C-alpha cells in the first residue's frame, strides 16, 4: 500500500510518468491506480479531446503507439488508457520502441492484469527506465484479514477477527469483492462501529453460526453434534457453501496443525507467525493438537485428498452431502 500511496502522491505533485505499466495477479489496485489517473490527471474540459480508453482485445500495439504519439489539443498532456492489456501478451514486446522514446506529452496507462512482464526482456527494462512499473501481487489469506482491518481503520471503523475471517472464507482473497461488501457495511453502519459477526450475518448474508470458520472450530474441538449441524446446513445451502471450498479450508487447517506439531517453540506469537494466522485464533490450534496427534493429522490430510478427488467425480458416485458426511465421520472417529 505504501507503493500505491507514493504513486498517488507523485501524481498529485505533478510528477507524472509518461508510461504506467500496471501488472500482476491482484486486479484491485491496478484498477484503483488506473481509475485515479483517469479521474484526476486532466480536468473535465480537457478530457473530451485528450483522454482515450482502448481495450487490448480490440487494439493492436500499432494502434496504441499511433494514438500515444498524437499531440494533446489545448492541454499540457493527453491520457491514453489501455484496459485488459493482457490480451496483447503475444505482441506486447513490440512496444519496446515506444517505451525507449515515449511521447513526453502522453500519459500511457496499460492495465496488464493476471500476468506480468519478463524482467529479463527489453520491454521491462525500457519501461523501468522511462516510466513506472507497478506489480500488484495476490495477497495470502492471512494478509487479507489485515488488509480489511487497515481499510476499515482508515474510514474510522474497526472489525473483530471472527468477522473479518468470515468475509475471507466466504469471498476468498478477491479484494474487489471484499471492498464492495465493506462499502455496503460502511453505508449502513455509523462510523466508529466495531463490526462483528452479527453485522456480517445481517447485512451480507453469511451465517455467523453455520460457516467454514465454525466448522473448522467444531472439528478441531471434536464437537460431533455441532459439526453435523453445520454440514447439514451446508447440504441445504450448497451454493453458498461449495464442498470444494470446505475441503480446501479444512485441508489448510490440518496442514497448519501438522506444522504446529513440528514447532519446537510453541509460544503464541511464534505459532501465529509461523502458521500465518491471527493471534486471536491461536488457541484453536492448541485445542486441536490435543485432539489430533501428528499421526492422526496425517491420516486426516489423506482423507481430505480422497474427498477432494470424489468431489470432482473421480472414482465415486456420491452426492456432495454424502461425501462430506463420510469425510466428517472419518475425521472425528
Amino acid at each position: 500500500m505504501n507503493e500505491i500511496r507514493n504513486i498517488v502522491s507523485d501524481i498529485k505533485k505533478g510528477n507524472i510518468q509518461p508510461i504506467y505499466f500496471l501488472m500482476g495477479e491482484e486486479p484491485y489496485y491496478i484498477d484503483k491506480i488506473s481509475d485515479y489517473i483517469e479521474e484526476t490527471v486532466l480536468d473535465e474540459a480537457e478530457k473530451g479531446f485528450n483522454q482515450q480508453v482502448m481495450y487490448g482485445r480490440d487494439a493492436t500495439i500499432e494502434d496504441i503507439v499511433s494514438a500515444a504519439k498524437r499531440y494533446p489539443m489545448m492541454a499540457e498532456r493527453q491520457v491514453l488508457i489501455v484496459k485488459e492489456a493482457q490480451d496483447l501478451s503475444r505482441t506486447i514486446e513490440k512496444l519496446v520502441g515506444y517505451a525507449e522514446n515515449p511521447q513526453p506529452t502522453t500519459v500511457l496507462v496499460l492495465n496488464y492484469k493476471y500476468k506480468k512482464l519478463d524482467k529479463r526482456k527489453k520491454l521491462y527494462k525500457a519501461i523501468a527506465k522511462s516510466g513506472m512499473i507497478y506489480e500488484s501481487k495476490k495477497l495470502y489469506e492471512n494478509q487479507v484479514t489485515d488488509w480489511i482491518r487497515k481499510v476499515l481503520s482508515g474510514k474510522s471503523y474497526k472489525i473483530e477477527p471472527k468477522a473479518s475471517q468470515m468475509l475471507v472464507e466466504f469471498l476468498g482473497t478477491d479484494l474487489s469483492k471484499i471492498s464492495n461488501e465493506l462499502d455496503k457495511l460502511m453505508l449502513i453502519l455509523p462510523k466508529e462501529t466495531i463490526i462483528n459477526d452479527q453485522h456480517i450475518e445481517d447485512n451480507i448474508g453469511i451465517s455467523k453460526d453455520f460457516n467454514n470458520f465454525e466448522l473448522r472450530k467444531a472439528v478441531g474441538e471434536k464437537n460431533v453434534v455441532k459439526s453435523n449441524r453445520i454440514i447439514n446446513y451446508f447440504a441445504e445451502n450448497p451454493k453458498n457453501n461449495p464442498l470444494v471450498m470446505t475441503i480446501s479450508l479444512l485441508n489448510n487447517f490440518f496442514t497448519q496443525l501438522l506444522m504446529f506439531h513440528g514447532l519446537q517453540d510453541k509460544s503464541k506469537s511464534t505459532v501465529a507467525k509461523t502458521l500465518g494466522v491471527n493471534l486471536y485464533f491461536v488457541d484453536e490450534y492448541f485445542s486441536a493438537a490435543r485432539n489430533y496427534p501428528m499421526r492422526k493429522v496425517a491420516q486426516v490430510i489423506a482423507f481430505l485428498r480422497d474427498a477432494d478427488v470424489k468431489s470432482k467425480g473421480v472414482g465415486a458416485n456420491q452426492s456432495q452431502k454424502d461425501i462430506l458426511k463420510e469425510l466428517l465421520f472419518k475425521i472425528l472417529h
Side-chain angles (χ1 to χ4, degrees):
M1 289 180 77
N2 287 336
E3 190 177 355
I4 295 155
R5 288 193 194 100
N6 291 338
I7 292 170
V8 170
S9 176
D10 282 345
I11 292 170
K12 282 181 179 177
K13 293 173 185 174
N15 181 18
I16 300 171
Q17 301 294 326
I19 304 176
Y20 289 88
F21 199 96
L22 314 174
M23 65 183 190
E25 290 297 316
E26 177 48 68
Y28 178 79
Y29 283 118
I30 292 174
D31 287 335
K32 283 289 182 184
I33 296 169
S34 179
D35 290 348
Y36 182 78
I37 292 170
E38 187 173 354
E39 291 163 9
T40 63
V41 169
L42 300 179
D43 62 39
E44 290 304 318
E46 294 172 327
K47 286 179 182 178
F49 291 108
N50 298 292
Q51 188 152 287
Q52 183 180 0
V53 175
M54 302 175 78
Y55 288 86
R57 65 178 177 273
D58 301 322
T60 64
I61 297 297
E62 290 76 15
D63 294 333
I64 294 165
V65 171
S66 176
K69 285 185 174 179
R70 291 178 195 150
Y71 288 97
M73 292 181 64
M74 295 176 289
E76 185 181 343
R77 57 175 62 90
Q78 69 159 340
V79 174
L80 174 59
I81 298 171
V82 183
K83 296 189 175 182
E84 310 301 336
Q86 69 274 9
D87 290 340
L88 292 161
S89 61
R90 291 182 180 179
T91 56
I92 196 70
E93 284 293 321
K94 289 183 180 180
L95 199 60
V96 170
Y98 180 81
E100 289 175 337
N101 187 28
Q103 183 79 2
T105 54
T106 295
V107 181
L108 174 60
V109 183
L110 296 118
N111 297 344
Y112 201 76
K113 296 177 180 177
Y114 314 111
K115 294 185 178 183
K116 55 186 180 180
L117 293 178
D118 187 334
K119 293 182 180 180
R120 299 166 297 179
K121 294 196 173 180
K122 284 185 178 180
L123 182 58
Y124 184 95
K125 293 173 182 176
I127 297 175
K129 188 174 180 180
S130 64
M132 160 72 68
I133 296 178
Y134 169 72
E135 183 179 351
S136 186
K137 296 178 181 178
K138 199 82 172 173
L139 298 185
Y140 295 110
E141 185 177 310
N142 62 306
Q143 293 174 310
V144 176
T145 54
D146 192 46
W147 179 85
I148 291 170
R149 181 184 59 77
K150 286 178 180 176
V151 168
L152 289 172
S153 177
K155 304 286 180 66
S156 301
Y157 291 85
K158 292 182 180 179
I159 188 166
E160 292 181 354
K162 181 183 174 181
S164 61
Q165 190 68 29
M166 284 169 64
L167 285 172
V168 175
E169 290 189 353
F170 188 73
L171 300 169
T173 57
D174 187 321
L175 300 187
S176 296
K177 285 183 182 177
I178 295 171
S179 179
N180 288 339
E181 297 302 333
L182 293 180
D183 287 342
K184 290 178 192 175
L185 286 169
M186 289 186 282
L187 279 173
I188 296 163
L189 303 172
K191 287 190 175 184
E192 310 303 331
T193 297
I194 300 174
I195 297 168
N196 58 34
D197 55 1
Q198 191 66 55
H199 292 129
I200 301 296
E201 179 172 89
D202 292 344
N203 299 294
I204 297 178
I206 309 170
S207 172
K208 67 182 177 65
D209 298 314
F210 300 99
N211 56 64
N212 282 306
F213 169 80
E214 289 297 331
L215 177 62
R216 187 185 71 191
K217 187 176 179 182
V219 168
E221 294 170 351
K222 281 206 167 181
N223 187 329
V224 177
V225 174
K226 186 176 179 182
S227 297
N228 278 289
R229 281 179 185 160
I230 294 171
I231 65 162
N232 286 333
Y233 177 87
F234 284 5
E236 292 168 9
N237 300 272
K239 278 191 176 180
N240 290 337
N241 304 278
L243 179 59
V244 64
M245 179 66 75
T246 300
I247 291 173
S248 174
L249 291 169
L250 285 173
N251 186 67
N252 287 344
F253 177 64
F254 279 98
T255 301
Q256 289 171 324
L257 199 55
L258 198 62
M259 292 168 63
F260 176 90
H261 276 299
L263 287 176
Q264 290 186 334
D265 178 3
K266 287 188 170 64
S267 63
K268 287 189 176 184
S269 59
T270 299
V271 171
K273 184 177 180 182
T274 305
L275 303 189
V277 298
N278 190 298
L279 202 60
Y280 175 86
F281 300 113
V282 166
D283 285 340
E284 289 182 24
Y285 292 88
F286 282 94
S287 173
R290 288 191 290 271
N291 291 321
Y292 298 92
M294 186 178 280
R295 182 177 292 180
K296 178 64 177 179
V297 173
Q299 272 188 328
V300 170
I301 291 172
F303 296 151
L304 286 161
R305 286 175 182 163
D306 182 53
D308 182 52
V309 169
K310 287 180 180 177
S311 73
K312 292 165 183 170
V314 180
N317 187 21
Q318 292 175 273
S319 68
Q320 303 275 297
K321 181 179 180 180
D322 288 342
I323 292 170
L324 190 52
K325 280 194 167 184
E326 181 186 359
L327 172 63
L328 206 63
F329 179 82
K330 287 179 177 178
I331 292 173
L332 295 172
H333 292 83

